């Protein structure tokens, strides 16, 4: 029986992880997720994937400890898990983790591999692997070092302490803390914006941001290449003309910038009809 419940609506796929009792990353769930990622490689219709949990307490508790046994089978499972983390990062689509419970160990590593992560007041994030005599195995230590800096990373990795969503936002472990009562409305607003974008827009900015994190000069070069390519497109010129016609580059931008874009969209729709 599938442990991933996948639905599609208007270019957005929602993946609900359902592996009771604690949504552990067992090998079968990892393999199912990797197969799902493979199916997305040539998917031009899907713009974003939202990951949620069916469990009211856990997003994903952690990697199945039964795989950590030193056997060839166990090592195979660990490599599949590491592959899954890399596959999330390599998706052409935008990946969004919505966390309303505990995300520890491999659960937290998965959320950090996603492009965007939201956490509620019920969420907690941690890398407690040291408690069972192992280091992080899904880039958790690497990400904590890059995001938190040396001193804070050393503390949370050696204590394995839980981090609340507001603190995780401050530490750049997640994108934003969103109270659960506001989560659905907030997420829908983000998804509505994404529905208006093309997959190529998502991929473009993923290329720029990922390269810039590794190397500022390389990122600048990729950004300039995209800018020059997009500037020459007929679509770009059509939008610019509509933007200027709708009050762009006038005093209106100071008080009603959103309105300028709204009128631009209306002008484009009128031209297309």
């Amino acid at each position: 029986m599938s442990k991933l419940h996948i639905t599609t609506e208007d270019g957005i796929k929602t993946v609900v992880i359902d592996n009771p009792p604690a949504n552990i990353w067992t090998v079968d769930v990892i393999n199912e997720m990797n197969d799902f990622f493979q199916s997305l490689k040539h998917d031009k219709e899907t713009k974003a994937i939202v990951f949620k949990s069916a469990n009211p307490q856990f997003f994903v508790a952690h990697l199945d400890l039964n795989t950590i046994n030193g056997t060839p089978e166990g090592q195979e499972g660990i490599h599949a898990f590491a592959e899954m983390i890399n596959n999330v990062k390599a998706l052409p689509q935008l990946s969004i983790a919505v966390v309303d419970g505990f995300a520890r160990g491999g659960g937290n590593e998965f959320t950090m591999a996603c492009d965007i992560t939201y956490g509620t007041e019920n969420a907690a994030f941690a890398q407690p692997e040291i408690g069972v005599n192992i280091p992080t195995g899904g880039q958790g230590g690497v990400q904590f070092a890059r995001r938190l800096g040396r001193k804070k990373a050393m503390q949370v990795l050696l204590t394995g302490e839980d981090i609340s969503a507001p603190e995780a936002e401050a530490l750049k472990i997640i994108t934003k803390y969103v109270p659960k009562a506001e989560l659905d409305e907030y997420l829908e607003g983000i998804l509505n914006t994404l529905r208006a974008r093309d997959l190529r827009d998502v991929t473009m900015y993923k290329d720029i941001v990922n390269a810039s994190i590794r190397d500022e000069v390389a990122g600048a070069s990729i950004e300039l290449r995209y800018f020059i390519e997009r500037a020459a497109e007929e679509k770009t010129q059509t939008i610019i003309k509509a933007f200027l016609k709708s009050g762009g580059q006038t005093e209106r931008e100071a008080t009603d910038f959103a309105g300028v874009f709204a009128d631009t969209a209306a002008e484009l729709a009128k031209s297309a009809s």
Side-chain angles (χ1 to χ4, degrees):
M1 181 180 294
S2 174
K3 302 296 177 67
L4 304 179
H5 307 310
I6 303 170
T7 56
T8 305
E9 184 178 358
D10 296 333
I12 310 295
K13 287 188 183 294
T14 300
V15 179
V16 179
I17 304 166
D18 187 9
N19 187 28
N23 268 9
I24 300 294
W25 283 130
T26 50
V27 172
D28 58 337
V29 179
I30 292 169
N31 289 337
E32 188 176 351
M33 190 70 83
N34 280 331
D35 288 344
F36 170 65
F37 291 146
Q38 283 294 119
S39 75
L40 292 169
K41 281 190 174 181
H42 304 292
D43 184 341
K44 304 299 183 183
E45 302 301 319
T46 301
K47 303 173 186 179
I49 305 100
V50 179
F51 296 98
K52 295 182 176 181
S53 169
N55 192 305
Q57 292 183 295
F58 296 95
F59 176 76
V60 173
H62 47 72
L63 177 65
D64 182 4
L65 295 180
N66 292 306
T67 65
I68 306 170
N69 57 22
T71 67
E73 293 77 16
Q75 290 181 14
E76 184 178 342
I78 291 168
H79 281 294
F81 169 70
E83 180 185 3
M84 181 182 70
I85 297 298
N86 285 326
N87 284 341
V88 182
K89 295 169 69 176
L91 285 172
Q93 298 85 2
L94 191 74
S95 53
I96 303 173
V98 178
V99 183
D100 187 42
F102 292 103
R104 298 185 179 117
N108 183 50
E109 288 168 322
F110 184 87
T111 72
M112 289 195 293
C114 289
D115 298 310
I116 292 174
T117 302
Y118 302 122
T120 72
E121 63 271 24
N122 301 320
F125 306 85
Q127 297 295 156
E129 287 86 349
I130 196 66
V132 291
N133 197 44
I134 57 172
T136 53
Q139 305 176 27
V142 175
Q143 290 300 322
F144 270 15
R146 291 172 64 85
R147 298 174 191 219
L148 278 63
R150 180 175 180 273
K151 295 181 185 298
K152 289 186 182 296
M154 290 298 293
Q155 175 174 306
V156 297
L157 289 169
L158 285 170
T159 63
E161 63 189 16
D162 282 349
I163 301 169
S164 69
E167 185 181 6
E169 178 185 353
L171 292 172
K172 300 181 181 179
I173 296 170
I174 68 172
T175 310
K176 188 176 180 63
Y177 159 63
V178 183
K180 185 172 183 177
E182 303 171 14
L183 181 61
D184 289 345
E185 182 178 356
Y186 181 84
L187 181 62
E188 189 58 26
I190 297 294
L191 295 179
N192 277 335
T193 300
L194 286 171
R195 290 184 181 105
R197 306 284 182 244
D198 294 329
L199 176 59
R200 66 195 291 259
D201 298 329
V202 175
T203 303
M204 174 183 69
Y205 265 122
K206 290 186 75 162
D207 285 348
I208 293 169
V209 170
N210 290 338
S212 299
I213 289 172
R214 295 190 299 269
D215 183 328
E216 183 178 349
V217 174
S221 176
I222 291 172
E223 181 184 73
L224 182 60
R225 173 173 59 80
Y226 272 114
F227 189 97
I228 291 171
E229 290 174 356
R230 290 284 187 111
E233 291 180 4
E234 181 180 351
K235 177 181 178 179
T236 302
Q237 297 306 310
T238 300
I239 294 172
I240 289 174
K241 288 176 183 177
F243 182 81
L244 294 173
K245 184 177 180 180
S246 301
Q249 296 190 178
T250 70
E251 294 85 351
R252 186 183 178 192
E253 286 194 17
T255 58
D256 191 23
F257 197 50
V260 175
F261 271 109
D263 287 352
T264 300
E267 179 69 22
L268 291 169
K270 184 172 65 175
S271 301
S273 62

